[in-house]
Amino acid sequence: MRIGLEIHIQLPTKSKMFCSCPTTVTDVANTYVCPVCLGLPGSKPSLNVHAVELGLVIAKRLKCTIPDTTWFSRKSYFYPDLCKHFQITQYDVPIGKDGVFYLEKKLIRIRRCHLEEDPGRIKRTDSGLSLIDYNRSGVPLIEIVTEPDISSPAEAREFLSALLVEIRSVIDLNDDRRSIRCDCNISVGKERCEVKNVTGLKNVELCLRYEAVRQTKLIKAGGAIERETRRFDEVRKATFPARKKEFEADYGYIGEPDLGIYHLSKIVDGIHVREGPLVRIERFQKDYSMSELAARQIINTSMKLADLFEELVKISDVGVARSLITGVIAANWKTFEPVMSEKIEELKETVVEFFDGKITDVECNLKLKALMTGGKSTGMSPIESTNLDVLVERIIKENPTVLEDCRKNQKAGNRIIGMVMKQTNGQYSSSDIVATTKRMIERMCTSVKDL
């Protein structure tokens, strides 16, 4: 079984690929259109340079060979989703080719990355009519084409998931309304079939599973696989014929006469692509003697969380940093990340206190949780006007067995410290709480000299 994927990703630009129409998503059909993206006579395209920059970032992430010059072509096809009857795309010289992507230890070759414009959207009604919304027509796309190196539907899903993680680490694809579609090519025998416009990781795996079974049964029955384009029905979880598969010559590629030749060297030299998640996972295992599972947990949660881990390692050690990052910090990360820049120094100070032995692990966790959640109430009444001595004394009286335990074990007083930390929720410094608790226990139980 041989599987190759063609992944189409909408690039997060504010305007379309060849005109100034916004890429804003709207439910009102044919709102953001103009003569250029409608292909009206006399209109001329103008290249969106930001789309080129984003495409080059992805090409560099996939370790593609990037040419010094590139240009665009017209791909002719007569479907109503592009009313000018051709698509502006790249053919002869894409912005990237011969890239590589490692899925665990397996190499998936990237044949090419090229830029093009998205076609419009066809909506079929219950009455049999086909309506066309051209809002999407002209939105910038990058198409990533793999070699047929994928061996199973499950591996295809795993590869696509890992690829999107890598791409999201270098460009913002967090808007769920942005389209990511996949054309799935699969061959069990000699000939292949293509399933167009499959959306969602689960659907990619399902459509390939169906096609693998269908082609296998057909071959065993003595039939022949015809090269064709098929569509995937998400409701019936099956593929159905759409049209005979075109060959490259059928598209009649010609150079786009209204666009020029573009030099990429200066743009490429100015692009710095940060370390990707997969490479970073391997480095964490090597540099910090960390298991793959622990490294993935940190890095897949957030690259910023991984950055914070490495900062904490510098001011403490690997054990402390990993314990806090995978524990209290990861548990409250969604609340903390938006305000991280404002509170990062206070978080580091708390970690240093813990590492230096000035506070216990319980105190550290409680203080970090209060810091990361903004000191939210735990359900108790506010204590701003309550004297700390009174609060500690009340807690000790509510837990008389602690005094007995303190006569046997000096560390038993840490239970009171933890209770006070929890109830104050970060409103008093840990040093004040420790000192007050120690003093109150010594006063109420004179037999206890130290905690």
Side-chain angles (χ1 to χ4, degrees):
M1 183 185 303
R2 303 177 70 198
I3 296 172
L5 301 179
E6 301 171 21
I7 304 105
H8 302 79
I9 301 173
Q10 286 188 344
L11 297 173
T13 58
K14 293 182 178 179
S15 59
K16 293 185 180 181
M17 188 74 182
F18 300 111
C19 68
S20 59
C21 287
T23 58
T24 307
V25 178
T26 176
D27 294 329
V28 183
N30 298 311
T31 302
Y32 302 120
V33 294
C34 72
V36 174
C37 53
L38 290 176
L40 299 183
S43 62
K44 288 189 175 183
S46 178
L47 181 63
N48 185 333
V49 177
H50 184 47
V52 176
E53 292 172 343
L54 292 176
L56 289 172
V57 168
I58 294 174
K60 288 192 74 171
R61 161 61 77 233
L62 298 177
K63 298 180 174 60
C64 290
T65 300
I66 298 174
D68 178 53
T69 58
T70 190
W71 58 88
F72 290 83
S73 299
R74 291 183 177 183
K75 177 182 179 181
S76 299
Y77 67 89
F78 298 96
Y79 298 107
D81 53 6
L82 273 174
C83 53
K84 58 192 176 188
H85 298 314
F86 64 84
Q87 179 188 38
I88 300 179
T89 183
Q90 291 188 303
Y91 178 60
D92 305 280
V93 185
I95 59 169
K97 63 179 182 178
D98 300 330
V100 296
F101 188 92
Y102 284 93
L103 185 63
E104 301 295 339
K105 301 299 181 181
K106 181 174 181 178
L107 170 64
I108 307 294
R109 293 170 296 164
I110 306 298
R111 181 181 298 173
R112 58 188 281 137
C113 298
H114 64 263
L115 297 168
E116 62 187 21
E117 59 180 336
D118 211 350
R121 188 190 304 272
I122 299 176
K123 298 181 179 179
R124 294 177 174 83
T125 65
D126 295 336
S127 61
L129 292 175
S130 293
L131 306 177
I132 306 174
D133 179 7
Y134 288 111
N135 281 332
R136 195 178 72 180
S137 180
V139 169
L141 285 182
I142 184 167
E143 181 174 345
I144 302 169
V145 182
T146 77
E147 297 290 352
D149 294 335
I150 301 170
S151 305
S152 70
E155 188 174 83
R157 179 176 181 172
E158 186 181 358
F159 162 75
L160 186 55
S161 176
L163 176 69
L164 293 177
V165 168
E166 286 290 312
I167 292 175
R168 285 190 172 102
S169 73
V170 290
I171 66 173
D172 183 13
L173 293 179
N174 294 324
D175 188 345
D176 293 335
R177 299 173 300 175
R178 293 288 182 188
S179 172
I180 298 175
R181 305 186 301 277
C182 190
D183 297 343
C184 305
N185 295 274
I186 178 171
S187 61
V188 175
K190 293 182 179 180
E191 193 54 89
R192 67 182 172 91
C193 292
E194 180 181 31
V195 186
K196 298 285 286 187
N197 295 327
V198 183
T199 58
L201 301 180
K202 181 179 179 181
N203 286 333
V204 167
E205 183 176 5
L206 287 174
C207 90
L208 287 170
R209 285 187 184 279
Y210 179 88
E211 267 301 294
V213 172
R214 184 189 70 85
Q215 292 184 26
T216 300
K217 286 183 177 180
L218 187 58
I219 293 172
K220 286 183 177 180
I225 304 298
E226 292 187 23
R227 186 171 184 177
E228 62 181 350
T229 298
R230 300 176 69 87
R231 62 180 180 85
F232 178 67
D233 189 311
E234 295 184 10
V235 176
R236 289 183 280 183
K237 305 293 188 295
T239 67
F240 298 92
R243 61 180 183 269
K244 295 296 181 182
K245 176 64 180 174
E246 297 94 342
F247 293 85
E248 291 297 298
D250 297 330
Y251 291 121
Y253 286 98
I254 62 170
E256 171 53 72
D258 292 328
L259 294 171
I261 295 176
Y262 300 95
H263 296 269
L264 303 177
S265 298
K266 289 185 178 181
I267 300 177
V268 173
D269 292 342
I271 294 175
H272 172 70
V273 181
R274 64 176 294 178
E275 182 183 43
L278 296 180
V279 174
R280 200 170 197 182
I281 288 170
E282 291 184 5
R283 182 170 66 80
F284 271 32
Q285 292 177 254
K286 179 181 178 181
D287 292 354
Y288 304 118
S289 301
M290 188 181 295
S291 69
E292 182 181 354
L293 182 62
R296 285 186 180 277
Q297 180 185 353
I298 295 172
I299 293 167
N300 289 346
T301 297
S302 170
M303 291 291 276
K304 288 184 179 179
L305 183 65
D307 293 340
L308 179 59
F309 167 76
E310 297 206 84
E311 290 186 49
L312 296 188
V313 168
K314 295 176 183 177
I315 60 175
S316 59
D317 59 30
V318 174
V320 169
R322 182 169 57 194
S323 175
L324 295 176
I325 285 289
T326 58
V328 63
I329 294 177
N332 298 282
W333 182 250
K334 287 185 179 180
T335 306
F336 181 67
E337 187 174 12
V339 295
M340 179 177 173
S341 60
E342 303 170 13
K343 299 184 177 183
I344 183 65
E345 293 305 320
E346 189 174 351
L347 183 144
K348 288 181 180 179
E349 290 173 5
T350 302
V351 173
V352 170
E353 279 188 287
F354 172 54
F355 183 66
D356 291 342
K358 296 179 180 179
I359 58 176
T360 67
D361 57 343
V362 174
E363 293 176 86
C364 180
N365 284 334
L366 289 171
K367 192 171 181 179
L368 287 177
K369 182 178 180 181
L371 171 67
M372 298 180 73
T373 58
K376 294 180 180 178
S377 173
T378 58
M380 299 188 63
S381 59
I383 64 163
E384 287 81 3
S385 61
T386 303
N387 184 276
L388 184 57
D389 286 21
V390 175
L391 176 64
V392 173
E393 184 177 4
R394 176 175 64 79
I395 293 176
I396 293 174
K397 288 180 178 180
E398 290 174 353
N399 298 272
T401 56
V402 174
L403 293 176
E404 295 298 324
D405 292 341
C406 283
R407 293 189 177 95
K408 302 173 184 177
N409 184 355
Q410 295 179 354
K411 294 184 178 180
N414 289 339
R415 290 170 53 194
I416 296 297
I417 292 174
M419 294 177 191
V420 176
M421 290 289 291
K422 184 175 182 180
Q423 293 192 22
T424 57
N425 207 14
Q427 296 185 49
Y428 293 98
S429 69
S430 58
S431 58
D432 286 344
I433 292 175
V434 171
T436 301
T437 304
K438 179 188 291 188
R439 176 168 49 82
M440 293 300 296
I441 290 181
E442 287 177 345
R443 183 170 65 82
M444 298 175 70
C445 183
T446 56
S447 64
V448 178
K449 301 301 183 183
D450 296 299
L451 288 177

